[in-house]
Amino acid sequence: MSKLKIAIQKAGRLNEESIELLKNCGIRIENGKDQLKVSVSNFPIEILYLRNGDIPQYLEDGVVDVAIVGENLLIEKQKDITIVERLGFSPCRVSLAIPKSVQDESLVYFQNKRIATSYPNTVRTFLKKNNLEAEIHVISGSVEIAPNIGLADGICDIVSSGSTLFKNGLKETQVLLKSEAVLAKSKLLTPEKEEILKRLTFRIQTVLNAKNTQYILMNIPTNKIAEISNVLPVLKSPTVLPLAKEGWSSLHSVIKEDEFWEVIEQLKILGAEDILIVPINKIVR
C-alpha cells in the first residue's frame, strides 16, 4: 500500500505544532529526533522533516505529497500548489518595518528606498500594486539588523509578537499579508494517495472543530429551556435531560471558549445553576 509523504518544518514552532496536530489526530510518531524521515506504524503516512524554504519546491515537484507549511511561504515561492485546509496555528504577518527614529510611517517613505527582506517576490508584488519603486536587498539570515548597519532604510519580514523588531530598534508600519499554517498538497497525487489524504483531512477537521470549544452542562428551570437555548450558540440544538427535582432539567451544549464570558451572565440571569465547563478533544461532524 502507498504511503502519503508529508513534509513538516525540520525545527521551530511550526515543527512542534505540526507534530502536536498529527498526534491529536491519533497518528503515532514513534521517534523522529535527529531523523529526516520517519515512518508511522498506525496510519499510511511517512513524515519528512525538511528545511522550510525547500518545502514548496518539493511539493510542486511531487517529491512530497502534502505539507504543513506557512501560507506566507507558499505566496512568496509562487508555486503551483493547492491549499487543502487552513490549520489556525502559527499566525504571523509579513510586514514592512522602519527605524523607530523615522517619523514618516506612510507608504511613501519607501519610494526609492532600500528594503532588506527574505520575501522579495512578496515585496515586489506589494510595491507594484502601490506604484512604488524601491531597491530590494535579499537576505536569508537576520533581516532586522540591516537598517542598523546601513544596508537598508527598512525591512520586510514575518512578524508574530513584534518583540524582535522592538529589540532591534524597529517599528512595524505596513502589513503586506496575514498568514497561518496550512495543509497544502502537490498536484501530482495519485488517486490512492488522494484517498489517504481524504482520511487525514477528516481527522484534522475533527481536531480543528474541537479547538477553542468547551462542553457546557448546567441545571436550569424547565420553563426556561427555550430562552436559554436561544442564548447558547450550539451545534444544532442542546441536549435536555429531566432531573429528579421537579421543574428542573439538565441542559448540555457546546460553546466557544471566547464566547463563554459573554454568555455566562445571561445564563445566570435566566436561572442556570451548577454550570460546568469541560474541555473537548474531538468533534466529528
Side-chain angles (χ1 to χ4, degrees):
M1 183 180 179
S2 294
K3 287 193 172 184
L4 192 73
K5 293 180 180 178
I6 178 168
I8 66 173
Q9 185 177 306
K10 179 172 177 180
R13 182 182 168 192
L14 188 53
N15 165 278
E16 295 167 2
E17 292 182 302
S18 300
I19 290 173
E20 182 183 4
L21 173 63
L22 293 175
K23 287 182 175 178
N24 287 337
C25 289
I27 293 170
R28 193 178 304 119
I29 304 172
E30 306 291 349
N31 46 47
K33 190 176 181 182
D34 301 324
Q35 288 184 261
L36 296 180
K37 187 168 74 170
V38 176
S39 293
V40 172
S41 60
N42 66 338
F43 197 80
I45 66 170
E46 196 170 57
I47 300 172
L48 284 79
Y49 297 100
L50 302 175
R51 196 173 73 87
N52 203 37
D54 294 335
I55 291 176
Q57 187 65 58
Y58 286 146
L59 272 173
E60 187 177 57
D61 293 343
V63 175
V64 296
D65 302 309
V66 297
I68 296 176
V69 64
E71 185 182 8
N72 59 295
L73 190 59
L74 297 182
I75 293 171
E76 169 60 28
K77 297 298 184 180
Q78 300 179 344
K79 301 299 182 183
D80 190 18
I81 294 165
T82 301
I83 292 176
V84 180
E85 191 76 38
R86 297 184 178 278
L87 302 176
F89 58 80
S90 291
C92 67
R93 52 197 181 273
V94 178
S95 297
L96 291 168
I98 60 176
K100 291 179 185 176
S101 58
V102 176
Q103 298 300 313
D104 185 1
E105 297 186 12
S106 70
L107 265 178
V108 180
Y109 167 79
F110 289 96
Q111 179 66 29
N112 298 320
K113 293 293 198 301
R114 299 165 300 165
I115 302 173
T117 185
S118 300
Y119 295 87
N121 291 326
T122 303
V123 174
R124 287 190 192 101
T125 300
F126 182 79
L127 292 175
K128 184 177 180 180
K129 181 181 176 182
N130 289 278
N131 299 312
L132 293 172
E133 294 285 341
E135 183 181 337
I136 297 174
H137 291 268
V138 182
I139 299 178
S140 58
S142 301
V143 174
E144 297 86 358
I145 198 173
N148 291 329
I149 61 176
L151 179 63
D153 303 295
I155 70 165
C156 179
D157 202 12
I158 57 170
V159 179
S160 294
S161 66
S163 61
T164 303
L165 292 180
F166 181 79
K167 290 174 185 175
N168 286 275
L170 301 173
K171 58 183 177 181
E172 183 179 9
T173 59
Q174 305 289 333
V175 177
L176 278 62
L177 60 90
K178 293 184 179 180
S179 173
E180 63 181 286
V182 297
L183 179 68
K185 73 171 183 175
S186 168
K187 292 193 173 181
L188 302 176
L189 263 64
T190 63
E192 187 178 8
K193 289 188 174 182
E194 285 280 9
E195 189 58 34
I196 298 171
L197 175 57
K198 186 177 178 181
R199 292 172 57 197
L200 176 62
T201 304
F202 170 76
R203 292 193 182 198
I204 288 173
Q205 289 172 342
T206 298
V207 172
L208 296 181
N209 287 340
K211 193 174 182 180
N212 299 321
T213 59
Q214 305 282 348
Y215 192 72
I216 183 168
L217 306 85
M218 68 195 82
N219 295 332
I220 63 171
T222 301
N223 61 1
K224 295 288 185 178
I225 290 175
E227 286 182 79
I228 290 177
S229 297
N230 289 332
V231 168
L232 284 170
V234 295
L235 296 178
K236 284 187 180 176
S237 63
T239 299
V240 180
L241 302 171
L243 294 179
K245 185 177 179 180
E246 188 176 349
W248 283 81
S249 297
S250 176
L251 186 146
H252 301 205
S253 187
V254 172
I255 187 170
K256 288 184 179 179
E257 190 172 12
D258 56 4
E259 294 177 347
F260 173 74
W261 294 111
E262 296 177 12
V263 171
I264 191 68
E265 290 183 6
Q266 296 178 63
L267 296 177
K268 292 290 289 180
I269 290 170
L270 290 171
E273 297 180 359
D274 305 323
I275 301 171
L276 301 179
I277 305 296
V278 182
I280 297 174
N281 291 324
K282 311 283 187 300
I283 295 179
V284 180
R285 285 180 170 151

